Amino acid sequence: MNKETILAITEVESHPLKHPKGYEIHCDGYKITTDKQTVLVLIENDQLHCERWGYICTNDDTKEFVGANLLSINLTDIALSNTNLPAADWNNNMEIQFVNLHTDRGLLQLAVYNAHNGYYGHSIYVQSIQLNHESLL
């Protein structure tokens, strides 16, 4: 088994990201740097109209996971249905999604919330060298 060690976990604000359609968007979230890849867990922070766009948070102390071995990443919805990345048919009509990073020190969970008025969803992105996923919350 190839070990993958987490070197740093940092919060990012207004991180530029190239949308698949070619234009640039900005996102907030977390950047997890390992010795093999960079994992981004982001939510689009561009306001479309009068809505609030949401946020990413964790109840875990991210400092406790620096130095841990990253074992896997999966997505969990509020019904506790798990999907390993990449997820081709993940439900795109959710207002909350959990990104679980399984480590040898336990579970680091990032909760992604969209706080919208029912009309304007915002995309979340889970990206790394090996994994890419987009959902609309």
Side-chain angles (χ1 to χ4, degrees), residues 55-66:
Y55 58 95
I56 297 179
C57 66
T58 183
N59 288 331
D60 298 315
D61 182 355
T62 58
K63 290 180 244 144
E64 292 180 6
F65 293 92
V66 174

Side-chain angles (χ1 to χ4, degrees), residues 10-130:
T10 55
E11 288 187 62
V12 294
E13 292 184 14
S14 292
H15 181 81
L17 190 66
K18 187 167 185 161
H19 191 274
K21 292 185 178 177
Y23 57 89
E24 187 174 274
I25 59 173
H26 295 91
C27 301
D28 291 349
Y30 285 87
K31 179 171 111 175
I32 299 100
T33 305
T34 76
D35 59 347
K36 298 190 185 218
Q37 65 176 317
T38 298
V39 178
L40 294 172
V41 180
L42 305 169
I43 186 167
E44 180 182 9
N45 73 1
D46 292 325
Q47 189 174 14
L48 301 173
H49 293 283
C50 60
E51 86 282 4
R52 293 174 43 220
W53 54 265
Y55 58 95
I56 297 179
C57 66
T58 183
N59 288 331
D60 298 315
D61 182 355
T62 58
K63 290 180 244 144
E64 292 180 6
F65 293 92
V66 174
N69 290 319
L70 180 62
L71 306 174
S72 66
I73 302 171
N74 72 351
L75 303 173
T76 303
D77 63 17
I78 57 175
L80 302 180
S81 301
N82 287 307
T83 301
N84 288 325
L85 291 175
D89 59 350
W90 191 253
N91 182 352
N92 288 334
N93 298 313
M94 302 167 62
E95 294 181 357
I96 184 172
Q97 191 159 41
F98 301 101
V99 180
N100 294 326
L101 292 96
H102 299 274
T103 75
D104 62 347
R105 295 185 187 169
L107 177 68
L108 169 60
Q109 185 175 72
L110 303 175
V112 186
Y113 298 94
N114 189 22
H116 63 82
N117 61 7
Y119 291 103
Y120 305 106
H122 290 268
S123 293
I124 70 160
Y125 301 90
V126 180
Q127 293 187 343
S128 72
I129 294 169
Q130 294 93 349

